[in-house]
Amino acid sequence: MKVDLARPSDLADILRMIRALSTFHDETATVTLEQLQIAFFGNAPSSTALIAREGANVVGYAGVNHTITLHSGVPRYDIHHLYVAETHRGRGVGKALITRAKKIGEQNGAKGLTIGTDPKNSSAQAAYRAMGLKEITDTGPRFWIPLS
C-alpha cells in the first residue's frame, strides 16, 4: 500500500469516497468535480488530497485543509476528511494517510495537525485512540452560525 499526493485524474475516486463518507454520516455530498479541482489543484489550493493505493486500487483518501493561525502566522493543518474502503479498514491505511499528512504539515512549518470525527463515530474515535492521538478536550465548544 502506498500513499501519494492525489492527481487531477484521481478526482472521480475522491468524489466517490466523499459520497461514501457523507452517506455514512447520513448526509448527501453536493460537491462537484469542478469544486474539488479548484480546492485541490487550483491556482491557490486551500486543501491537499492524499490517495492510498494498493496496486492500482484506490483504498483510501484524506482531505487536508490548510490555513494559518492568525495570531501567530504559523501554518495550520486539519484532516477534514479521512476515508478508508471498508475492505481495508484495520489494515493501517488510515494510519498511513495520517502519517503522510503529518509530513506535509512538518515540511510547511506547522506545529501540529488536527483531525475530528462525528461524535457518533465510535469506531473512528477508537482507531485514533489506538494510534495514540491526543484527544483535544480543552479548546472549548465550537458553535455553528447558519448563513442564508
Side-chain angles (χ1 to χ4, degrees):
M1 195 258 314
K2 186 175 179 185
V3 175
D4 290 310
L5 292 174
R7 302 178 298 253
S9 60
D10 294 317
L11 286 174
D13 284 319
I14 291 170
L15 181 58
R16 176 183 50 79
M17 290 182 281
I18 289 171
R19 287 178 176 158
L21 186 59
S22 293
T23 299
F24 177 81
H25 290 293
D26 295 322
E27 298 173 354
T28 301
T30 58
V31 69
T32 66
L33 286 173
E34 180 179 85
Q35 289 169 318
L36 293 175
Q37 171 71 33
I38 292 167
F40 296 133
F41 306 107
N43 290 336
S46 59
S47 301
T48 299
L50 302 173
I51 291 287
R53 289 185 173 81
E54 185 174 74
N57 298 320
V58 173
V59 297
Y61 144 81
V64 183
N65 290 346
H66 31 90
T67 186
I68 63 167
T69 304
L70 291 175
H71 65 275
S72 67
V74 173
R76 181 175 170 178
Y77 289 79
D78 177 70
I79 300 173
H80 183 69
H81 269 183
L82 181 74
Y83 178 82
V84 176
E86 194 169 336
T87 57
H88 285 72
R89 293 180 187 156
R91 295 174 52 187
V93 176
K95 187 173 186 175
L97 287 162
I98 291 170
T99 298
R100 185 64 187 267
K102 285 171 58 176
K103 287 181 185 175
I104 290 169
E106 289 168 353
Q107 291 168 347
N108 289 288
K111 299 293 184 203
L113 177 68
T114 57
I115 187 169
T117 187
D118 187 284
K120 296 176 277 187
N121 192 345
S122 57
S123 60
Q125 293 169 41
Y128 300 153
R129 288 180 185 120
M131 285 182 223
L133 303 184
K134 179 184 173 191
E135 274 188 74
I136 302 170
T137 57
D138 61 349
T139 58
R142 294 175 64 96
F143 297 89
W144 175 256
I145 303 167
L147 304 174
S148 58

